[in-house]
Amino acid sequence: MARETVIVIDFGGQYNQLVARRVRECNVYCEIYSYKTDIEKIKEMNPKGIILTGGPNSCYEEGAPTYTKELFELGIPVLGLCYGAQLMMHILGGKVEKAPVREYGKIEVHVDQTSPLFTEINETTICWMSHNDYISQAAPNFQIIAHTADCPVAAAANADKNLYAIQFHPEVLHTLQGKEILSNFVRGICGCAGDWKMDTFVETAIQEIREKVGDGKVLLALSGGVDSSVAAGLLSRAIGKQLTCVFVDHGLLRKNEGGEVEQVFGPGGQFDLNFIRVNAQERYYSKLAGVTEPEQKRKIIGEEFIRVFEEEAKKIGAVDFLAQGTIYPDVVESGLGGESAVIKSHHNVGGLPDFVDFKEISEPLRDLFKDEVRTAGLELGIPEALVFRQPFPGPGLGIRIIGEVNAEKVRIVQDADFIYREEVDKAAAEYQKANGAEPAWKPNQYFAALTNMRSVGVMGDERTYDYAVALRAVKTIDFMTAESAEIPFEVLQTVMSRIINEVRGVNRVFYDLTSKPPGTIEFE
Ligand code: GLN
């Protein structure tokens, strides 16, 4: 089945993935390719439209990323964004040079509402700008369809050929009507029907898996994270008992997490598959005994995962497919978008197991963004608590315990973390109930970590010498930068007193105020 596709050609802009996500929010399927991709390949895909992204270079400089002029002669609508717009003008005979005034941030743009790109867009609208160069002269046969106080060509169009160039970034949320502008392009100008939806994705994916796998056997390492869980759900719906999932409990999971995974995917759960749980806690703790260096800890945890997985795989024998929860950002970030099969080094693994005997890789989620994976998960009936779980590092609590890891410290951090999440969730839910909206302080990620600091305290008139727990809560959109969240003081107080009272071995609680950068979200 040919699906309507829009292609994003990536010139190294910061927001390239956002462009594709916004297009998909218009229910149009979209893929990202490097500007190095041969035009023949683009033609083969028969896209309904092409979008050129922004990028750090100046298109008039030698060696700057470019593309063949033929792209604009295919009869396919093209939208250039920022660098992409400048490049389009440059290639087609316009002029791009260093701007006398650079624009950065939210800028008022005046648009020509009669252009199909700006249908239903306000005459004056706020857009996100980030450029040093500007289009001083549009290419021949292009009309100027937007300007700002400092930028005479904020958008230009050759409507007969469906070529559009815009200096601002519609994909960034600061551009107030950005989504409408992109929708005008893909739905209006490219004429896409917009029938890319998650329920059709799930159905189609199930069909495709059945065709590809036939009566073969599939093996999947289930980590309990969102991606591998959704992959497991999808594969199970498609091929049932031909799927075997190996779930390694390394003893560094959050409190009750192993049980929750088993409840969903284990015997008696809602999915039909072979489920193998390996309780490798002791094995991990003994490998980790005495190890304090963070990178070494990560390495041991990753390597041990491969060993355990291999041992299980050997018991199962040869399989036809090794499945992985690779998702689209992994594909794009590996720099190989669509050009060849990419094998994600599993976040738990750090490489593929050498000994697993398989013929092919199966990556049923490799076309999806994270939020789409979640929607697919809900579609498959995976419980919300699992689908919306917080990001959790592959090495688990191992990197939320500073210094040596042992069973006792794992217990402390599990219990403290559980209390903390419970209280934050409760306070957020109460706020939501009272105000009909989420509190502004609601963090995107929040957890407890165990510092390696012990200090003197007094409890029940007796001296204590116990550990300090650190609470972390951050607000972040992209997980690349983050701010410490302003959790109300009374919530933190409740958490503190519950942790001190309920968790043996803790006599102090700290709140981490550090933003990222300079801090990281995790501790080690
Ligand atoms: N490098 C170009 C400029 O400075 C384009 C910037 C961009 O694409 N955001 O104008």
Side-chain angles (χ1 to χ4, degrees), residues 54-57 82-83 86 130-133 169:
N57 301 78
C82 203
Y83 183 83
Q86 296 168 356
S130 167
H131 64 120
N132 298 310
D133 298 327
H169 290 275

Side-chain angles (χ1 to χ4, degrees), residues 180-200:
E180 288 80 355
I181 295 170
L182 283 172
S183 171
N184 284 341
F185 179 69
V186 297
R187 305 282 292 264
I189 294 163
C190 303
C192 292
D195 45 17
W196 157 255
K197 297 208 176 74
M198 267 311 118
D199 50 350
T200 28

Side-chain angles (χ1 to χ4, degrees), residues 471-476 479-485 511-523:
L471 306 177
R472 181 97 170 114
V474 295
K475 288 200 70 87
T476 172
F479 292 93
M480 303 302 283
T481 59
E483 299 289 334
S484 170
Y511 189 65
D512 185 350
L513 293 174
T514 323
S515 56
K516 172 185 180 177
T520 52
I521 295 177
E522 295 292 342
F523 274 64

Side-chain angles (χ1 to χ4, degrees), residues 109-145:
V109 178
H110 305 281
V111 308
D112 174 356
Q113 293 167 305
T114 63
S115 167
L117 191 62
F118 297 132
T119 304
E120 312 233 335
I121 303 302
N122 298 339
E123 198 275 322
T124 302
T125 184
I126 300 291
C127 298
W128 183 256
M129 291 277 196
S130 167
H131 64 120
N132 298 310
D133 298 327
Y134 82 136
I135 301 163
S136 55
Q137 207 184 315
N141 304 319
F142 274 76
Q143 279 187 337
I144 296 172
I145 55 168

Side-chain angles (χ1 to χ4, degrees), residues 321-366:
F321 293 87
L322 181 67
Q324 302 202 109
T326 313
I327 70 172
Y328 198 48
D330 305 325
V331 176
V332 175
E333 274 150 33
S334 64
L336 292 167
E339 293 184 49
S340 64
V342 180
I343 298 160
K344 175 189 183 187
S345 63
H346 190 289
H347 59 272
N348 272 337
V349 178
L352 267 187
D354 312 329
F355 293 93
V356 179
D357 189 357
F358 67 95
K359 293 192 206 113
E360 264 185 79
I361 297 273
S362 159
E363 296 173 314
L365 307 177
R366 64 174 280 138

Side-chain angles (χ1 to χ4, degrees), residues 221-226 228-229 246-248 253 261 305 346-348 389:
L222 191 62
S223 71
V226 179
S228 66
S229 297
V246 175
F247 169 56
V248 179
L253 297 168
V261 172
F305 183 91
H346 190 289
H347 59 272
N348 272 337
R389 86 169 15 161

